[in-house]
Amino acid sequence: MKKIQMVDLKSQYDQIKDTVNASIQEVLDTTSYINGPQVHKFQKDLEDYLGAKHVIPCANGTDALQIAMMGLGLKPGDEVITADFTFAATVEVIALLQLTPVLVDVDADTYNISIEAIKKAITPKTKAIVPVHLFGQAANMEAILAIAKEHNLYVIEDNAQAIGANYKYADGSKKKAGVIGDVASTSFFPSKNLGCYGDGGAIFTNDDELAHTLRGIVNHGMYVRYHHDVVGVNSRLDSIQAAVLNAKLPNLDSYNKARSEAAAKYSAAFAGHTNIVTPVITGDEDSHVFHQYVMRVLNTDRDALLQHLLDKGIPCAIYYPIPLHSQKAYADARYNEADFPVTNQLVKEVIALPMHTELDDEQIAFITGAVLEFLK
């Protein structure tokens, strides 16, 4: 059996090596390393794929989220509601901009932000909601948009983990995650479903005026060289990373399909086990692109299971071991433990199994067998 990887980027590269190498060589030949033709091609092709009017490439996913908030003109002290159970980058940029993060609990089934918790958290200072499409599945966007409309709030989608996922509306229509709210951010970190070979990110919006502002912000506030019209940052997707993404984007749907098929095999192997809660998919099979396969284990020592798998050469991880409201950097007297019952339980129960496009049946059988051996 081939060695199991948490993310097998080498095997994925081997499948597209010629295309990737030729794309990178084009950059080297033209020496257009910043904002070159490869960046413009990627921007246009991603707009077409997502159905977005505007894609603004930038240096990484964290910058993308920060720049999105800068573009909306949020002011210090404005409250921004987001999920407690997610990676720290989401709340990090809120704090960096001197906005006030308001962390709320998540849904027990999907791990995405709780609609009822959002409603309870709104105050006269609330200006935006940041739903995180966690592990590859969009949050309940229809409900979030309804709340935002009622209270005149911005919706900023953190789409770092769900590029390519389809969100299904109640009427059966679909949109890609990331083009539903006012603006969205994504990451092209190498392990993402659409990853480059370094850092990269992008912002999406259908708002022409906002897109214009964002394009200035990513480039030192310039629209004309040496004319600084807005306060900006230096955050650009370099041409070599765009070249890699151009090679990968045509394969994104097949990558996501392979992840979904691997996830289905995991879930089938665990079906009916009283101590395993497998991921819940709320829409059609294309609504979850499984950036991670995160399940819950009940009535057992989760950390001992983690070590059992590691001892067998199976990489695995805990996403996430500590709630954001308990992190030293973001602890706040405003938070009451009673307001986070789901998050506080999830951090004790979740475990992420290997998930990538190259998982084969032999590996999946070995991984699931090792889990079941421990939980028997």
Side-chain angles (χ1 to χ4, degrees), residues 208-260:
D208 296 341
E209 184 176 346
L210 176 58
H212 177 74
T213 301
L214 296 171
R215 288 195 177 97
I217 293 173
V218 301
N219 190 33
H220 298 289
M222 294 188 296
Y223 301 100
V224 177
R225 192 164 178 81
Y226 302 126
H227 292 251
H228 303 275
D229 294 351
V230 296
V231 175
V233 297
N234 177 23
S235 185
R236 294 168 298 204
L237 179 69
D238 74 67
S239 297
I240 288 178
Q241 300 307 331
V244 174
L245 292 166
N246 280 329
K248 285 190 170 187
L249 181 57
N251 300 305
L252 178 56
D253 284 344
S254 65
Y255 290 161
N256 287 343
K257 186 173 185 290
R259 287 172 176 266
S260 295

Side-chain angles (χ1 to χ4, degrees), residues 79 81 102 118-127 151 153:
E79 292 180 355
I81 297 171
V102 178
I118 293 173
K119 292 176 180 177
K120 291 177 183 177
I122 292 173
T123 76
K125 293 183 178 180
T126 307
K127 294 296 186 289
H151 296 278
L153 307 176

Side-chain angles (χ1 to χ4, degrees), residues 58-340:
C58 63
N60 57 70
T62 307
D63 278 6
L65 192 55
Q66 178 177 320
I67 292 161
M69 293 182 188
M70 292 172 68
L72 292 173
L74 300 179
K75 305 297 183 185
D78 287 348
E79 292 180 355
V80 179
I81 297 171
T82 194
D84 187 40
F85 187 65
T86 186
F87 183 60
T90 309
V91 69
E92 181 178 66
V93 297
I94 299 171
L96 281 170
L97 293 174
Q98 297 186 316
L99 309 172
T100 301
V102 178
L103 297 168
V104 301
D105 208 7
V106 296
D107 180 80
D109 289 335
T110 65
Y111 318 141
N112 278 322
I113 194 166
S114 162
I115 301 305
E116 293 307 311
I118 293 173
K119 292 176 180 177
K120 291 177 183 177
I122 292 173
T123 76
K125 293 183 178 180
T126 307
K127 294 296 186 289
I129 305 167
V130 183
V132 181
H133 302 325
L134 199 67
F135 302 143
Q137 180 166 224
N140 185 348
M141 290 302 295
E142 266 187 294
I144 291 168
L145 292 174
I147 294 169
K149 182 177 181 181
E150 180 183 353
H151 296 278
N152 194 29
L153 307 176
Y154 292 117
V155 176
I156 307 164
E157 297 175 74
D158 183 336
N159 196 40
Q161 299 187 18
I163 193 162
N166 285 301
Y167 176 75
K168 187 175 183 179
Y169 289 80
D171 64 5
S173 62
K174 295 182 180 181
K175 273 190 178 179
K176 293 290 185 190
V179 295
I180 302 168
D182 295 286
V183 64
S185 63
T186 200
S187 167
F188 302 124
F189 187 78
S191 64
K192 302 299 186 189
N193 294 38
L194 180 62
C196 53
Y197 292 164
D199 269 322
I203 311 148
F204 317 143
T205 186
N206 290 321
D207 183 317
D208 296 341
E209 184 176 346
L210 176 58
H212 177 74
T213 301
L214 296 171
R215 288 195 177 97
I217 293 173
V218 301
N219 190 33
H220 298 289
M222 294 188 296
Y223 301 100
V224 177
R225 192 164 178 81
Y226 302 126
H227 292 251
H228 303 275
D229 294 351
V230 296
V231 175
V233 297
N234 177 23
S235 185
R236 294 168 298 204
L237 179 69
D238 74 67
S239 297
I240 288 178
Q241 300 307 331
V244 174
L245 292 166
N246 280 329
K248 285 190 170 187
L249 181 57
N251 300 305
L252 178 56
D253 284 344
S254 65
Y255 290 161
N256 287 343
K257 186 173 185 290
R259 287 172 176 266
S260 295
E261 289 173 350
K265 290 171 184 175
Y266 276 143
S267 293
F270 298 139
H273 197 292
T274 56
N275 290 337
I276 298 177
V277 180
T278 55
V280 174
I281 302 175
T282 58
D284 294 336
E285 62 181 14
D286 59 359
S287 69
H288 200 321
V289 295
F290 286 96
H291 174 58
Q292 304 290 352
Y293 184 91
V294 178
M295 64 183 194
R296 296 165 59 195
V297 289
L298 314 179
N299 305 313
T300 193
D301 185 338
R302 188 272 315 275
D303 293 341
L305 169 60
L306 177 79
Q307 190 58 54
H308 171 76
L309 296 177
L310 293 174
D311 289 345
K312 286 184 169 290
I314 300 170
C316 48
I318 307 303
Y319 303 125
Y320 297 93
I322 304 172
L324 290 178
H325 79 268
S326 298
Q327 297 282 0
K328 183 178 179 180
Y330 306 112
D332 195 296
R334 293 174 295 130
Y335 297 134
N336 184 336
E337 290 299 323
D339 293 329
F340 303 98

